[in-house]
């Protein structure tokens, strides 16, 4: 495993649309391992492949309940109920803003063995799923911020 360099805002790769993964090979598995290691090292709750410069539909999430690997994730359901809460991004360090997200989502994806599964997330997990899937379409949370939060005033 190896740490990968996290691309930051301004890097064009973050604004591109990612391609579907057709085949899960050794390179894909190494990428997933590296993404998990990079996410944990950076203290993030999620990381999407374009954030390490790879334009494939892969993301990893851990909201404190263990690692979740999503290949070709697709949102198949979202609640009408929305929640506004603070959000940040490893590619936009030091910035935090309030974003509206569905309270609950259901996402369909492949796991690292290529098996299809669905995952239901509420609260923080729903937020992380939406945030990471947005990355795969070149969307950053700053596109959706309602109000920025001044982090300095809290220290
Ligand atoms: Zn992000």
């Amino acid at each position: 495993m190896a740490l990968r360099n996290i691309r930051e805002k301004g890097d064009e790769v973050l604004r591109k649309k990612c391609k579907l993964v057709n085949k899960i090979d050794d390179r894909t598995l190494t990428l997933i391992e590296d993404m998990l290691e990079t996410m944990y090292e950076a203290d993030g709750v999620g990381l999407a492949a374009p954030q390490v410069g790879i334009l494939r539909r892969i993301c990893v999430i851990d909201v404190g309940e263990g690692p979740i690997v999503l290949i070709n994730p697709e949102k198949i359901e979202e609640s009408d109920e929305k929640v506004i809460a603070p959000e940040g991004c490893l590619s936009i360090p030091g910035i935090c803003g309030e974003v509206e997200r569905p309270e609950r989502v259901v996402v369909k994806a492949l796991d690292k063995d290529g098996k299809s599964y669905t995952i239901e997330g509420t609260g923080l997990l729903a937020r992380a799923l939406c945030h990471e899937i947005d990355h795969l379409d070149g969307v950053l949370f700053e596109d959706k911020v309602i109000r920025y939060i001044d982090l300095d005033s809290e220290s």
Side-chain angles (χ1 to χ4, degrees):
M1 293 207 294
L3 290 176
R4 304 230 180 172
N5 188 27
I6 298 178
R7 305 299 183 89
E8 294 186 356
K9 189 187 160 180
D11 192 319
E12 267 182 32
V13 81
L14 293 172
R15 290 304 190 173
K16 301 240 161 86
K17 208 171 150 70
C18 294
K19 292 199 173 101
L20 285 169
V21 175
N22 298 316
K23 192 167 80 129
I24 301 166
D25 54 17
D26 285 349
R27 273 181 68 190
T28 317
L29 296 175
T30 302
L31 169 66
I32 290 167
E33 290 299 311
D34 289 354
M35 284 172 63
L36 282 166
E37 193 182 349
T38 304
M39 174 185 75
Y40 288 124
E41 168 73 21
D43 243 339
V45 298
L47 190 70
Q51 292 182 276
V52 294
I54 308 289
L55 291 170
R56 291 284 163 191
R57 304 191 78 84
I58 300 172
C59 43
V60 296
I61 291 174
D62 190 339
V63 293
E65 294 162 3
I68 299 165
V69 172
L70 302 122
I71 300 170
N72 299 341
E74 236 181 297
K75 222 185 295 168
I76 55 173
E77 239 181 272
E78 72 174 68
S79 62
D80 292 333
E81 193 192 345
K82 313 289 180 209
V83 184
I84 295 171
E87 203 167 304
C89 179
L90 293 176
S91 293
I92 312 174
I95 303 288
C96 184
E98 289 182 332
V99 181
E100 183 180 277
R101 301 283 191 188
E103 213 293 307
R104 173 183 162 275
V105 293
V106 180
V107 170
K108 189 177 141 194
L110 301 178
D111 67 14
K112 60 183 168 49
D113 302 312
K115 251 182 65 185
S116 177
Y117 73 101
T118 57
I119 181 167
E120 180 183 344
T122 56
L124 179 59
L125 180 55
R127 181 166 295 276
L129 286 164
C130 294
H131 179 117
E132 298 313 327
I133 292 172
D134 274 355
H135 270 299
L136 304 181
D137 293 315
V139 174
L140 298 178
F141 89 97
E142 63 174 8
D143 304 345
K144 301 184 169 176
V145 164
I146 294 167
R147 188 177 68 92
Y148 283 101
I149 296 162
D150 188 355
L151 293 173
D152 290 337
S153 65
E154 286 166 28
S155 57

